[in-house]
């Protein structure tokens, strides 16, 4: 079935507890994959010993308590939007460095690295490592990105990414040899390695040999002009950026380092991703990973994911499923030949309400900025009832803070202003000057308008709407009318970013389990995606060209603390920063958390092995399935 896919791909693209250091003495005898065997025999592909690095990453499955796998098979999974084929980069989780199962940063694509005081990082590549089209993966790919992409005004108008800028200064980047890259700053950059390990990593390298064909500095001018005209774009830079999509994963010709490569061109209902013949990981039996030959990703309507999974049409599914689907999934296990696991979730809050402190309406903005109002709204939420109604008491009611798995967890923060207390909530609103009501018992704003709080949602999670129905009844008891407005996700975000949304609902912080090495920047107004302060985030992200500067003392303090963390020289100093920032959030309630730890249904085919029974489902850190290494999953038959 996939012979044509293999030939098509070759025709187009060929024109550390769980890791062992690989040395000449301990590399196992390598076994050729049946998937690529005919291509090797026909001379279209080198044998496996010539495809992997001289020092591959050797995975010790026994040490991880996993089985050795049998290569082969097609894994079916689903996403709900065409652009979500990028989940293959997330799930594949091949990174320069990545998190292991204990959330420690370890080398992956890199053979090793050296960190000198968080100021100088020396990255060592694996000798002989190749891109999926067989071209070398070398320091030239890093040099090309740094000099010819990141610092090219036409390709990167805003310059190199922010995580490389320390105290307004760029690093010195050097390339001593083919396998060594050095990043050096005058001041510490403790967030450098963690950034490289993200679910959506900042790719500080590019497949230079492929992209040079579309760069004015390297390409033949006439050929490049033809390519620009043929692609119907305005310039070579537009063409280069269109093709340069390592994360979007939508250019099937672009070489990759991920375990599976895109073998489908254009937009389709089903996309096929086939095993990367040059992938750098092998098991101790000499079998090159990934075990699974093909991943088939189907694009379906959001409301159909649970139903199609229930019918046995997915071999591995987490995305698109919610806890409310668990009961029907359990009922379909026998007929669908799968099992339903319940993993922990890593977000700081499963449902969080974000009052927009940058709301364009002056009157409402002043009300929402009064911490007494935010505390009252939080106190007037019956979290226990929501937990019982939506999660059968399996979640944990509480404010938005880090989870118990984090060393920074504090029970006082987790329960701050989260007890159900209507009397205290009413008293706080009276104290805030909102003591007048209309004939329906709704409080009046200082300008006489009724206190009708409009909360906009992405309309994607029924649990959100169900929770807000309960909150609507709760808030009526304190004279606040909740108006729920479901919108498309992109429309919602654009409205929030422009200051037109009064309040919104989303998950809490993606990373609810931060460790000592985790940057607390997401607790400060550094990004518009924290929906309570989009304008402050824009101001930071654009260097003051857009948005507005923080103008509340505690928000300004958060910015100062985030900077203190960056320049700190000891773990004790960084821990102190974390503690103070979390305490500020607990007191100020920039986001009103409702509960956390709601189980995430994970559906796994009964044929699929090495999928953990108990695990964490988290975007950051962990890349959902990525940290659990799907390249080690295999079909038992």
């Amino acid at each position: 079935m996939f012979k044509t896919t293999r030939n098509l791909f070759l025709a187009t693209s060929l024109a550390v507890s769980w890791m062992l250091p690989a040395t000449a003495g301990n590399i196992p005898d390598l076994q050729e994959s049946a998937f690529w065997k005919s291509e090797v025999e026909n001379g279209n592909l080198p044998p496996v010993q010539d495809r992997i690095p001289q020092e591959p990453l050797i995975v010790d499955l026994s040490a991880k308590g996993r089985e050795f796998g049998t290569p082969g098979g097609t894994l079916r999974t689903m996403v709900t939007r065409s652009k979500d084929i990028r989940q293959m980069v997330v799930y594949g989780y091949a990174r320069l460095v990545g998190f292991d199962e204990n959330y420690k940063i370890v080398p992956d694509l890199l053979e090793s690295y050296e960190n000198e005081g968080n100021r100088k990082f020396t990255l060592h590549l694996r000798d002989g490592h190749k891109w999926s089209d067989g071209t070398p993966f070398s320091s030239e790919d890093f040099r090309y990105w740094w000099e010819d992409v990141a610092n090219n005004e036409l390709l990167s108008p805003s310059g190199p990414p922010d995580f490389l800028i320390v105290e307004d200064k760029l690093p010195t980047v050097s390339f001593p040899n083919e396998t060594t890259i050095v990043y050096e700053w005058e001041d510490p950059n403790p967030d450098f390695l963690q950034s490289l390990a993200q679910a959506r990593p900042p790719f500080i390298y590019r497949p230079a040999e492929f992209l040079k064909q579309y760069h004015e500095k390297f390409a033949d001018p006439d050929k490049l002009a033809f390519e620009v005209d043929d692609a119907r774009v305005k310039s070579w830079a537009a063409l280069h950026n269109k093709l340069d999509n390592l994360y979007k994963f939508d250019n099937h010709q672009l070489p990759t380092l991920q375990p599976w490569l895109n073998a489908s061109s254009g937009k389709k209902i089903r996309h096929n991703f086939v095993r990367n013949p040059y992938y750098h990981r092998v098991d101790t039996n000499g079998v090159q990973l990934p075990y699974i030959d093909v991943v088939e990703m189907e694009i379906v309507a959001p409301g159909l994911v649970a139903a199609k999974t229930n019918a046995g049409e997915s071999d591995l599914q987490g995305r698109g499923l919610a806890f409310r689907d668990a009961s029907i999934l359990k009922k379909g296990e026998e007929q669908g030949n799968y099992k339903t696991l319940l993993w922990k979730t890593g977000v700081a809050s499963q449902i969080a309400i974000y009052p927009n402190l940058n709301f364009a309406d002056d009157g409402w903005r002043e009300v929402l900025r009064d911490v007494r109002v935010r505390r009252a709204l939080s106190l007037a939420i019956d979290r226990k009832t929501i937990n019982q109604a939506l999660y059968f008491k399996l979640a944990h009611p509480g404010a938005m803070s880090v989870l118990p798995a984090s060393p920074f967890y504090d029970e006082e923060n987790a329960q701050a202003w989260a007890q159900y207390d209507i009397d205290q909530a009413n008293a706080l609103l009276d104290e805030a000057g909102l003591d007048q009501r209309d004939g329906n018992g709704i409080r009046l704003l200082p300008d006489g308008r009724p206190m009708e709080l409009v909360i906009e949602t992405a309309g994607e999670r029924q649990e959100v709407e169900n929770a807000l129905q309960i909150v609507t009844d709760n808030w009526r008891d304190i004279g606040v009318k909740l108006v729920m407005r479901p919108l498309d996700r992109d429309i919602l975000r654009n409205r929030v970013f422009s200051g037109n949304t009064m309040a919104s609902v989303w998950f809490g912080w993606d990373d609810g389990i931060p460790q000592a090495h985790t940057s607390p920047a997401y607790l400060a107004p550094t990004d518009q995606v924290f929906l309570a302060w989009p304008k402050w985030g824009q101001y930071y992200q654009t260097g003051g060209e857009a948005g507005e500067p923080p103008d509340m003392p505690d928000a300004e303090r958060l910015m100062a603390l985030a900077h203190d963390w960056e320049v700190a020289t000891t773990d004790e100093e960084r821990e102190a920063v974390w503690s103070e920032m979390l305490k500020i959030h607990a007191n100020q309630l920039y986001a009103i958390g409702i509960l956390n730890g709601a189980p995430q249904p994970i559906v796994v085919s009964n044929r699929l092995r090495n999928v953990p029974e108990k695990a964490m489902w988290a975007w950051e850190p962990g890349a959902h399935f990525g940290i659990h290494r799907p390249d080690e999953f295999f079909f038992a038959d």
Side-chain angles (χ1 to χ4, degrees):
M1 177 179 178
F2 291 100
K3 186 175 181 181
T4 302
T5 301
R6 290 199 295 266
N7 291 337
L8 170 63
F9 165 70
L10 287 166
T12 55
S13 65
L14 290 176
V16 194
S17 62
W18 51 272
M19 295 189 300
L20 298 175
T23 64
N26 66 17
I27 296 177
D29 292 334
L30 298 170
Q31 302 179 36
E32 187 59 71
S33 135
F35 188 82
W36 293 118
K37 189 173 183 179
S38 63
E39 301 299 335
V40 173
E41 291 174 347
N42 293 332
N44 295 325
L45 196 66
V48 63
Q49 59 266 26
D50 295 332
R51 299 200 305 265
I52 67 169
Q54 292 181 22
E55 296 187 359
L57 190 159
I58 300 178
V59 179
D60 190 346
L61 292 163
S62 298
K64 299 178 70 173
R66 290 190 167 183
E67 302 175 53
F68 287 98
T70 303
T74 297
L75 183 144
R76 302 165 299 162
T77 190
M78 291 177 279
V79 292
T80 57
R81 299 180 297 175
S82 294
K83 65 181 182 181
D84 281 342
I85 61 172
R86 60 191 175 180
Q87 293 303 310
M88 288 302 298
V89 177
V90 178
Y91 298 163
Y93 201 56
R95 304 292 186 264
L96 293 174
V97 294
F99 294 107
D100 67 9
E101 66 270 27
N102 298 313
Y103 296 98
K104 295 180 179 178
I105 293 176
V106 294
D108 181 8
L109 296 173
L110 293 182
E111 189 274 327
S112 63
Y113 66 84
E114 295 150 23
N115 176 1
E116 299 176 37
N118 286 328
R119 287 182 170 85
K120 181 179 180 181
F121 297 85
T122 304
L123 313 180
H124 299 285
L125 303 182
R126 298 177 185 277
D127 194 13
H129 197 165
K130 298 179 177 67
W131 290 90
S132 58
D133 64 349
T135 56
F137 175 51
S138 71
S139 60
E140 172 60 16
D141 299 306
F142 291 77
R143 186 215 60 77
Y144 177 76
W145 175 77
W146 178 248
E147 296 180 3
D148 300 314
V149 177
N151 282 288
N152 184 297
E153 292 184 357
L154 294 178
L155 295 177
S156 306
S158 57
D162 289 344
F163 86 103
L164 294 178
I165 302 173
V166 178
E167 298 296 299
D168 296 322
K169 298 176 184 176
L170 288 171
T172 299
V173 188
S174 57
F175 316 93
N177 55 53
E178 289 186 355
T179 57
T180 308
I181 305 96
V182 180
Y183 274 80
E184 190 167 8
W185 288 267
E186 294 180 15
D187 298 286
N189 186 2
D191 198 30
F192 178 63
L193 294 176
Q194 177 187 287
S195 296
L196 300 180
Q198 289 177 343
R200 179 176 183 169
F203 291 100
I204 60 173
Y205 52 84
R206 291 295 193 276
E209 189 166 325
F210 175 84
L211 287 173
K212 282 179 180 179
Q213 303 173 82
Y214 308 100
H215 197 297
E216 68 168 356
K217 181 177 175 181
F218 304 97
D220 177 270
D222 293 334
K223 289 183 179 179
L224 185 56
F226 172 80
E227 294 286 356
V228 169
D229 184 61
D230 187 57
R232 298 182 181 180
V233 292
K234 293 182 179 181
S235 65
W236 73 267
L239 176 62
H240 189 286
N241 284 340
K242 180 180 179 180
L243 298 173
D244 179 16
N245 288 330
L246 283 175
Y247 178 68
K248 289 184 178 180
F249 223 45
D250 59 355
N251 176 9
H252 71 287
Q253 293 182 314
L254 187 68
T256 184
L257 299 170
Q258 299 302 316
W260 294 275
L261 51 94
N262 190 348
S264 307
S265 60
K267 291 188 175 182
K268 291 178 168 60
I269 298 299
R270 287 184 178 85
H271 286 261
N272 289 326
F273 300 86
V274 303
R275 61 185 304 128
N276 179 355
Y278 293 92
Y279 193 53
H280 67 292
R281 299 177 186 165
V282 300
D283 70 17
T284 51
N285 283 343
V287 176
Q288 183 186 28
L289 301 178
Y291 286 133
I292 291 171
D293 285 338
V294 179
V295 177
E296 180 185 276
M297 183 172 278
E298 182 181 4
I299 300 165
V300 304
L304 294 179
V305 174
K308 291 175 74 67
T309 302
N310 175 262
E313 296 182 27
S314 179
D315 298 306
L316 181 66
Q317 197 66 41
R319 195 172 179 86
L321 300 179
F323 182 75
R324 63 184 169 85
D325 301 316
S327 59
I328 191 171
L329 291 171
K330 278 286 186 182
K331 290 178 182 178
E333 286 183 339
E334 184 175 352
Q335 187 172 352
N337 195 30
Y338 64 79
K339 57 186 174 183
T340 307
L341 308 177
L342 293 178
W343 284 5
K344 294 180 180 180
T345 47
V347 291
S349 187
Q350 191 73 13
I351 303 172
I353 298 171
Y354 293 83
N356 191 348
L357 305 183
N358 302 145
F359 186 36
D361 183 300
D362 292 343
W364 263 110
R365 185 170 62 249
E366 289 305 310
V367 169
L368 295 175
R369 287 189 173 203
D370 191 325
V371 70
R372 293 170 296 186
V373 173
R374 300 195 298 276
R375 288 171 177 172
L377 295 175
S378 180
L379 287 168
I381 296 176
D382 187 352
R383 291 170 172 82
K384 290 184 178 179
T385 295
I386 294 173
N387 188 24
Q388 169 68 50
L390 273 61
Y391 300 108
F392 304 105
K393 296 185 179 181
L394 294 175
H396 305 288
M400 192 174 95
S401 190
V402 298
L403 305 181
S406 170
F408 306 120
Y409 177 77
D410 184 308
E411 180 68 14
E412 185 176 338
N413 291 342
Q415 296 302 323
W417 307 100
Q419 61 273 28
Y420 184 43
D421 192 332
I422 292 295
D423 290 340
Q424 187 179 5
N426 273 313
L428 284 169
L429 291 176
D430 289 344
E431 184 183 323
L434 301 169
D435 52 353
Q436 301 299 310
R437 303 192 185 217
D438 65 14
N440 296 317
I442 302 301
R443 292 177 184 269
L444 300 176
L445 300 183
D447 59 14
R449 288 180 292 171
M451 196 169 178
E452 296 182 352
L453 184 53
V454 181
I455 298 183
E456 298 179 356
T457 79
E460 298 174 358
R461 294 192 290 153
Q462 187 62 45
E463 62 194 286
V464 169
E465 279 71 18
N466 293 344
L468 289 184
Q469 291 292 349
I470 297 173
V471 176
T472 298
D473 294 338
N474 297 158
W475 283 2
R476 191 178 293 120
D477 294 335
I478 60 170
V480 176
K481 182 178 180 180
L482 189 159
V483 179
M484 182 168 46
R485 181 184 294 165
L487 299 169
D488 175 82
R489 180 195 298 194
D490 292 333
I491 294 174
L492 168 64
R493 291 203 166 197
N494 288 336
R495 282 181 51 80
V496 174
F497 298 160
S498 63
N500 292 322
T501 293
M502 184 184 301
S504 57
V505 174
W506 196 247
F507 293 98
W509 300 313
D510 285 334
D511 188 351
I513 49 174
Q515 308 298 308
H517 54 68
T518 307
S519 167
Y522 60 88
L523 272 66
T526 59
D527 197 319
Q528 66 176 354
V529 300
F530 189 79
L531 304 179
W533 50 47
K535 295 294 184 182
W536 296 345
Q538 292 164 16
Y539 186 83
Y540 176 82
Q541 289 176 295
T542 63
E545 294 183 7
E548 54 196 52
D551 56 353
M552 294 177 69
D554 286 296
E556 293 171 338
R557 178 60 181 159
L558 288 172
M559 290 298 292
L561 286 166
H563 180 262
D564 290 346
W565 186 91
E566 292 175 356
V567 299
T569 57
T570 68
D571 285 344
E572 289 75 17
E573 291 173 324
R574 296 191 183 98
E575 289 166 4
V577 167
W578 264 104
S579 295
E580 185 175 349
M581 293 181 79
L582 288 170
K583 181 63 69 175
I584 289 173
H585 273 270
N587 289 330
Q588 292 297 313
L589 275 80
Y590 297 116
I592 301 171
I594 295 180
L595 39 70
N596 60 62
Q600 169 65 42
I602 303 294
V603 168
V604 183
S605 165
N606 289 332
R607 300 165 50 232
L608 195 61
R609 299 289 186 271
N610 282 347
V611 182
E613 293 283 330
K614 296 181 180 180
M616 181 74 74
W617 176 258
W619 169 257
E620 207 68 77
H624 287 158
F625 287 122
I627 197 170
H628 308 300
R629 306 299 180 190
D631 58 337
E632 299 170 16
F633 300 171
F634 70 96
F635 289 108
D637 52 356

